[in-house]
Amino acid sequence: MPISDATYAPFDSPEEYILQWTDRIWRDYGLGRLEDHYAADMVVHGAYGPIRGMQTVLRGSLAKKSAFPTRVGTAEDVICEQRGADAFISHHRVFHSGPQTGWWTYGPPTGRNSESRNIAICLVRDGLVVEEWVVRDEYRVVTTLGLDPEQIARTVAFTDEPDGLFGTAAPTDVLVAGESGVRPESHADEAALINEFISAVWGLRHLELVPAFTQRDLFLETTRARVRTRADNYQSDLVQMLAPFPDAVVEVRDIAVNTAAEQGTRVGVLWRLSGTYDGAPAYGPVTRSPVEILGASQFLLRKGKIIREWRVFDEIAVMAQIARARGDVPQA
């Protein structure tokens, strides 16, 4: 059953819905339009915990726009996939750039240019966003503003909700239905490839399999604006991501696949990493405390193999959990 035009009206496609609404709200100072874009009871899942209700989102958006009034969010890609006749899921990869000229959570204006990559994953039903998962490279934001990541991590709060960042158990079979609902039957092979890659290589630590899943000239763009090329450097970066949490469990929570003439076949993935900070002391002295990470990746496929991955997660949120477990005193 094809998706109803009403789901993304008045635009020509789900991709245009996402791009045009982003500009209408952020470029045009149309923050009051949020009530026409978000359901009143919508939920945003972020790296520090859930945000509930459109009005709460509006308050946070006003603060962000005030701090970065001329910041530009440029779409790198939008991966959309149908979720029944009345809904679609969108994995929107955005590169943000612009100066901090107003007060922000981290303090007074720095005047410096902030740069970061975000991935916003929106479930749109009957023309309204009803649920969203937002992942930001906040470490890159902090460092481009000239601030100290460790000091900032002591000032931010992480959720105390017992159900954590997602509030639900992992999907039984993400290839059939993920956080966003039942997937279509199309692109089954591509979704299965990426699910197997993350499950086997990331989850079971079979890093020796990376070359079997990837093209020779593999590119990884990940947190802190780091770029890694070819399989051996991908393996090295993945080991460094996992090593602080040796018992880490990686869950694939949602998958969307789209093929377009210009962009090729891309796969968007929402994932969760949970583990204990008792391994490599990458974030200071180990605490043997639990850490939860909400992450997102986008993969570009070529001839049935991975040629590129963009990976985003919030290392400031990781550091905030560890700082709290360590009992660090917040510093202004």
Side-chain angles (χ1 to χ4, degrees):
M1 180 183 297
I3 188 171
S4 168
D5 292 351
T7 302
Y8 50 83
F11 308 103
D12 294 333
S13 68
E15 292 82 2
E16 279 300 306
Y17 170 99
I18 295 297
L19 295 174
Q20 293 297 331
W21 265 117
T22 300
D23 278 355
R24 285 182 171 198
I25 294 167
W26 291 102
R27 186 194 64 187
D28 300 346
Y29 278 82
L31 298 176
R33 294 170 173 167
L34 280 167
E35 65 180 357
D36 299 319
H37 181 54
Y38 283 130
D41 59 350
M42 63 88 61
V43 179
V44 178
H45 305 274
Y48 304 90
I51 299 171
R52 295 183 172 86
M54 185 277 297
Q55 289 297 330
T56 307
V57 173
L58 175 57
R59 288 195 291 270
S61 299
L62 282 167
K64 176 66 71 77
K65 189 64 175 176
S66 173
F68 303 95
T70 60
R71 189 177 72 157
V72 175
T74 300
E76 296 183 299
D77 198 4
V78 183
I79 302 172
C80 292
E81 190 175 72
Q82 185 174 348
R83 292 293 181 266
D86 65 346
F88 67 89
I89 190 72
S90 166
H91 291 239
H92 183 197
R93 191 175 83 246
V94 189
F95 188 84
H96 287 285
S97 179
Q100 183 204 358
T101 56
W103 278 83
W104 179 230
T105 306
Y106 306 145
T110 64
R112 298 183 61 156
N113 198 65
S114 165
E115 296 176 358
S116 68
R117 175 174 284 120
N118 298 357
I119 296 181
I121 302 172
C122 293
L123 178 60
V124 180
R125 179 170 289 114
D126 290 329
L128 292 174
V129 177
V130 296
E131 196 164 7
E132 184 174 4
W133 298 262
V134 179
V135 187
R136 300 183 176 94
D137 182 3
E138 200 67 11
Y139 194 101
R140 180 66 175 165
V141 173
V142 169
T143 54
T144 54
L145 291 177
L147 304 174
D148 179 359
E150 291 188 5
Q151 180 177 345
I152 294 298
R154 298 187 190 105
T155 68
V156 297
F158 189 80
T159 182
D160 287 316
E161 297 203 9
D163 294 328
L165 299 178
F166 284 88
T168 57
T172 302
D173 186 350
V174 73
L175 298 177
V176 176
E179 292 284 341
S180 62
V182 177
R183 296 192 61 253
E185 295 181 359
S186 60
H187 291 111
D189 291 343
E190 294 88 346
L193 172 77
I194 296 303
N195 186 54
E196 182 183 2
F197 175 71
I198 293 177
S199 298
V201 175
W202 295 25
L204 298 179
R205 320 296 199 256
H206 279 296
L207 282 82
E208 78 279 5
L209 297 178
V210 170
F213 284 90
T214 62
Q215 294 279 353
R216 187 196 73 159
D217 294 320
L218 172 68
F219 268 77
L220 167 68
E221 295 187 47
T222 185
T223 56
R224 311 189 193 190
R226 293 174 298 170
V227 178
R228 301 290 183 262
T229 59
R230 298 217 181 188
D232 53 349
N233 289 312
Y234 185 100
Q235 292 164 318
S236 175
D237 186 88
L238 185 58
V239 166
Q240 291 172 2
M241 185 181 85
L242 296 171
F245 323 104
D247 63 348
V249 174
V250 182
E251 301 167 351
V252 176
R253 307 288 299 221
D254 203 78
I255 294 181
V257 189
N258 185 280
T259 297
E262 293 183 357
Q263 297 97 326
T265 298
R266 300 99 65 226
V267 184
V269 177
L270 175 67
W271 51 268
R272 173 183 183 261
L273 184 152
S274 57
T276 307
Y277 182 53
D278 61 357
Y283 302 107
V286 298
T287 56
R288 296 177 175 81
S289 58
V291 168
E292 183 181 13
I293 300 174
L294 185 154
S297 292
Q298 291 188 357
F299 297 88
L300 174 65
L301 303 183
R302 181 178 296 169
K303 297 181 179 179
K305 290 191 173 184
I306 300 165
I307 187 68
R308 203 169 193 115
E309 180 190 351
W310 295 265
R311 184 189 307 156
V312 180
F313 62 99
D314 189 335
E315 289 189 271
I316 299 297
V318 175
M319 296 165 69
Q321 296 172 69
I322 294 168
R324 184 175 66 173
R326 200 159 42 221
D328 289 356
V329 177
Q331 297 181 8

